[in-house]
Amino acid sequence: QKTFDNFDWDGLLARLPVKKTAEDRDKRKKIWRAIDMNGNGYCSLAELDRGIRDVLLLPEIFDCKKPIMRAFQAARLKVPPRTKHSDDYVEWMEFRIFLVYLRQYFEYYVMFCRTDLTGDHKVDINEFKLALPTLEKWGVKIANPESEFKKIDKNGGGVIMFDEFCEYAIKKNLDLEDDDDFDDVDIKSMK
């Protein structure tokens, strides 16, 4: 399983114009027009996925479907629906938040991959215990690993899945030690 050591976080952030400035808004508009090829004002998951690969030129993220899906799900529900189709797509007014979420969920995905030592897309109790020093670097000190594991494993399946890990990372405000220290008010609103 890939752990994304030496990942170019600054390069990622440079490709994601998420600031609330006129310059970044203009960049977003250009990207949006390239992704929303039919100009209907809606982007499906497939269109955004293709846009990550072909417009944003982020092959590392394109290969990681879980953070893309999480960002899509979160962004499309961020703004109250204007039409009967609004909740099924990302619209322009949600696009910046999609990019913010994409960046953040990718960070959580990297954390998850570094915790999932076997690469089976789930973290068992042994992997969790081995990750305690790493989790501490990310901002959480765990005194009772068994109890904490059970809290994270919401469905009681005996393993932590990516979605469960994301909920925990958001709640605990985990921060990868070797990333770009991305910080945005919208991330705080994920809680």
Side-chain angles (χ1 to χ4, degrees), residues 3-4 10 16-17 32 45 61 64 77 83 93 95 106 110-111 121 127 139 152-154 164 169 186:
T3 57
F4 301 95
D10 292 326
L16 299 177
W32 175 261
L45 177 60
I61 293 185
C64 304
L77 301 175
T83 71
M93 66 187 117
F95 185 56
F106 181 69
V110 170
M111 290 176 177
H121 306 287
E127 290 170 314
I152 302 168
D153 178 20
K154 296 258 188 221
E164 293 169 323
D186 297 306

Side-chain angles (χ1 to χ4, degrees), residues 29-134:
K29 279 184 182 178
K30 185 177 178 184
I31 293 167
W32 175 261
R33 284 192 296 271
I35 294 174
D36 180 23
M37 293 175 64
N38 62 8
N40 68 356
Y42 298 103
C43 278
S44 67
L45 177 60
E47 288 171 311
L48 290 167
D49 193 47
R50 182 197 54 77
I52 289 166
R53 183 191 65 206
D54 299 345
V55 179
L56 292 169
L57 305 175
L58 295 169
E60 301 93 345
I61 293 185
F62 174 76
D63 290 338
C64 304
K65 301 307 181 196
K66 291 177 190 260
I68 297 170
M69 175 60 86
R70 292 262 331 174
F72 175 77
Q73 290 171 338
R76 68 188 174 86
L77 301 175
K78 193 69 178 170
V79 176
R82 296 179 313 129
T83 71
K84 66 180 182 174
H85 302 293
S86 292
D87 282 345
D88 298 327
Y89 301 93
V90 168
E91 296 178 78
W92 161 249
M93 66 187 117
E94 298 161 322
F95 185 56
R96 189 186 77 79
I97 197 71
F98 169 78
L99 296 175
V100 169
Y101 282 155
L102 182 65
R103 160 59 188 82
Q104 191 61 40
Y105 281 119
F106 181 69
E107 180 178 344
Y108 294 150
Y109 185 75
V110 170
M111 290 176 177
F112 184 77
C113 290
R114 290 180 183 177
T115 306
D116 172 21
L117 302 176
T118 62
D120 63 356
H121 306 287
K122 45 193 167 207
V123 174
D124 65 28
I125 186 65
N126 294 325
E127 290 170 314
F128 186 71
K129 287 178 180 178
L130 288 171
L132 291 178
T134 304

Side-chain angles (χ1 to χ4, degrees), residues 132-149:
L132 291 178
T134 304
L135 287 163
E136 191 169 341
K137 286 183 198 172
W138 296 338
V140 64
K141 185 163 176 62
I142 299 169
N144 185 334
E146 289 84 4
S147 173
E148 197 75 1
F149 184 88

Side-chain angles (χ1 to χ4, degrees), residues 141-178:
K141 185 163 176 62
I142 299 169
N144 185 334
E146 289 84 4
S147 173
E148 197 75 1
F149 184 88
K150 286 180 183 175
K151 288 180 199 171
I152 302 168
D153 178 20
K154 296 258 188 221
N155 67 4
V159 294
I160 298 171
M161 303 303 287
F162 179 64
D163 288 346
E164 293 169 323
F165 183 85
C166 287
E167 287 181 34
Y168 182 73
I170 291 166
K171 189 167 87 175
K172 296 294 185 177
N173 201 25
L174 297 185
D175 184 37
L176 195 62
E177 77 279 5
D178 59 350

